[in-house]
Amino acid sequence: MADPIEFTKSPAEVLRVDPGFSLASVDPGSTPGYPGAKADGKALLAAQDDRLAELQEKLFAEGKFGSNKRLLLILQAMDTAGKGGAVSHVVGAMDPQGVHLTAFKAPTEEEKAHDFLWRIEKQVPAAGMVGVFDRSHYEDVLIHRVHGWADEKELERRYAAINDFESRLVAEGTTIVKVMLNISKDEQKRRLLARLDDPSKHWKYSQGDLVERAFWDDYMKAYSVAFEKTSTGTAPWYVVPANKKWYARIAVQELLLEALRGMSLEWPKADFDVAAERAAVAKS
Amino acid sequence: MADPIEFTKSPAEVLRVDPGFSLASVDPGSTPGYPGAKADGKALLAAQDDRLAELQEKLFAEGKFGSNKRLLLILQAMDTAGKGGAVSHVVGAMDPQGVHLTAFKAPTEEEKAHDFLWRIEKQVPAAGMVGVFDRSHYEDVLIHRVHGWADEKELERRYAAINDFESRLVAEGTTIVKVMLNISKDEQKRRLLARLDDPSKHWKYSQGDLVERAFWDDYMKAYSVAFEKTSTGTAPWYVVPANKKWYARIAVQELLLEALRGMSLEWPKADFDVAAERAAVAKS
């Protein structure tokens, strides 16, 4: 089989939110950095599974031998944008043993009685682990901004708190990959209708989705402000066009691969005498 | 592509530990119920991924709509028997969102200050979830029996406590699948040597493995007693021959498939007016 078509430009470069970034200027139907079509993308996704799994295993192995490296993928998006699919199709290639996934829902009463980062801190990845946040502390500056659940002063406090929090994670060895899966409003309509047309997908449909959809423009504004305030050098945001699910998946996969490659992972050296152990096993 | 060769006898029947079972009479290199060879088994494993993922999604969906059903896979085995591989190759096909995996290690000081089931209870699957225990409360009647860390009276208390505990889980809606991956002592030697011969696997080698290996016969005895005491009608044990990794994986996969099929899973019915929602989305 021919080698699959690869990215010609790094998603970490073409999708990164840098100063001057404008969310409105991103085409959710585009495929930045990738010259192939859907079938090529699917072939690439499958071909890279093993590379991703090997790097993740190295990360896990290092964690067992005293390394403090860890990886945290933060996924944010409007409903139906494909967070779940990205998790199952990209993260699913990794050994479940090395993945700590948290889907953050509406906070409990106990969580609400604490600072918004309290429940987040409990779920950050341990050494050697890949943490995945399906929604995150960013809800506290997105839905909260949209519905006015926090005032401007409190929102400012939260942006600053998020930056301090993420800086600390990075300083203690975490590589953070923050991804917004970016679908268009029309694409969301298509996906909601598709859910309603398939009885096996009715359980995924929530009437609340339609309520939030009515605030689309406010959400885009809230995302834009969040990007401006929290896309930092140590923990930048990536906006991944997601109308094409196959593209969103290979882009997230490539972002994870690049992050892991940047961690200089090595198989831990044996801390025992290999030849002596070999002899002991052989005669056991 | 031709359909892959399937099991001709149900693993749930041919591998179940019933009264009169003898661990010594199981050939760890055998492939009970499966007439195919390695390549057939690998094809079956891949072909069944989607079936497993769909059933797991139904379980998850039911859990969101008030069902109390849940699935718990308990994996026990000697070192190198392939628990990790079973998790990544079988459970890995499921949506990570619906899987709660716990690898039980040596208990912490806090855990040791509680009953042995205290830390277990905290990790049982929630409604709709698939729980996976990589090691479990059975360590407390296996390694503890082998090394005499618990006396006979305490061990008897634990067998009874385990049966009560598992009965309660079953009564509250949990289907429990208890699997011992059964390798031979010779096969373990081969696998330990293979780890030592591959620098990328040195991190998986522990000198403790060799220590426990010296107690092989005692472990087999401890497993036999555990089977006798805790292979119940509601939560039977399955002993899966595991010298052939490919067989162990399809056997575990099939046990999970059969368990899920036995749960009469259905897609939840919409609790809203589909046509009305469709019209509302269309004009949104």
Side-chain angles (χ1 to χ4, degrees), chain A residues 201-218:
Chain A
K201 297 218 159 64
H202 284 173
W203 71 277
K204 289 187 174 184
Y205 182 84
S206 158
Q207 288 169 293
D209 296 351
L210 200 49
V211 174
E212 298 308 319
R213 177 171 166 77
F215 293 93
W216 189 275
D217 293 345
D218 296 324

Side-chain angles (χ1 to χ4, degrees), chain A:
Chain A
M1 203 165 67
D3 286 342
I5 295 174
E6 309 228 4
F7 278 88
T8 50
K9 285 184 192 156
S10 154
E13 286 177 25
V14 294
L15 304 178
R16 192 175 51 230
V17 174
D18 288 322
F21 172 85
S22 154
L23 182 55
S25 69
V26 175
D27 174 1
S30 63
T31 60
Y34 194 69
K38 183 174 181 174
D40 305 308
K42 291 197 162 200
L44 181 64
L45 187 72
Q48 307 243 70
D49 269 356
D50 287 348
R51 293 182 207 174
L52 192 61
E54 186 182 340
L55 285 164
Q56 176 259 319
E57 193 184 355
K58 272 189 188 170
L59 174 64
F60 187 79
E62 280 202 3
K64 294 281 173 205
F65 282 73
S67 154
N68 65 353
K69 295 174 197 167
R70 49 203 94 183
L71 178 63
L72 174 60
L73 171 66
I74 297 175
L75 290 169
Q76 284 289 156
M78 299 299 285
D79 293 317
T80 78
K83 288 188 280 82
V87 170
S88 57
H89 289 270
V90 180
V91 179
M94 300 180 184
D95 186 343
Q97 185 178 199
V99 177
H100 181 73
L101 169 70
T102 311
F104 288 99
K105 310 291 184 191
T108 63
E109 288 305 314
E110 188 189 21
E111 288 167 351
K112 280 196 271 192
H114 290 272
D115 183 57
F116 75 109
L117 290 172
W118 181 78
R119 65 174 186 160
I120 307 296
E121 180 86 47
K122 293 204 264 184
Q123 305 298 341
V124 298
M129 296 291 289
V130 177
V132 180
F133 287 177
D134 177 344
R135 304 187 187 279
S136 67
H137 42 296
Y138 284 98
E139 292 296 325
D140 298 274
V141 294
L142 292 168
I143 191 170
H144 281 243
R145 170 179 279 274
V146 166
H147 295 300
W149 299 343
D151 63 20
E152 192 59 45
K153 190 177 160 210
E154 170 63 9
L155 288 168
E156 288 299 331
R157 184 191 76 79
R158 291 184 189 177
Y159 297 124
I162 286 172
N163 287 338
D164 287 349
F165 171 69
E166 293 182 354
S167 292
R168 172 163 59 84
L169 294 186
V170 170
E172 73 190 15
T174 311
T175 298
I176 302 180
V177 178
K178 301 192 289 199
V179 169
M180 185 248 193
L181 296 178
N182 182 36
I183 56 167
S184 65
K185 196 175 177 191
D186 277 352
E187 179 65 18
Q188 189 190 53
K189 181 189 284 192
R190 275 190 290 276
R191 294 184 186 183
L192 288 172
L193 291 174
R195 279 187 185 175
L196 289 165
D197 291 341
D198 179 352
S200 82
K201 297 218 159 64
H202 284 173
W203 71 277
K204 289 187 174 184
Y205 182 84
S206 158
Q207 288 169 293
D209 296 351
L210 200 49
V211 174
E212 298 308 319
R213 177 171 166 77
F215 293 93
W216 189 275
D217 293 345
D218 296 324
Y219 272 104
M220 294 306 112
K221 172 71 179 157
Y223 271 105
S224 293
V225 179
F227 295 153
E228 190 183 308
K229 302 278 187 182
T230 66
S231 197
T232 60
T234 46
W237 273 101
Y238 300 98
V239 171
V240 173
N243 277 11
K244 295 185 168 77
K245 285 181 188 172
W246 63 266
Y247 173 79
R249 289 169 189 171
I250 57 173
V252 172
Q253 185 187 55
E254 190 70 21
L255 287 169
L256 293 178
L257 282 166
E258 292 185 35
L260 287 162
R261 286 189 194 115
M263 294 164 83
S264 309
L265 301 166
E266 299 287 349
W267 294 116
K269 295 267 178 293
D271 56 358
F272 49 82
D273 180 335
V274 177
E277 286 299 315
R278 209 188 181 291
V281 170
K283 74 173 189 198
S284 70

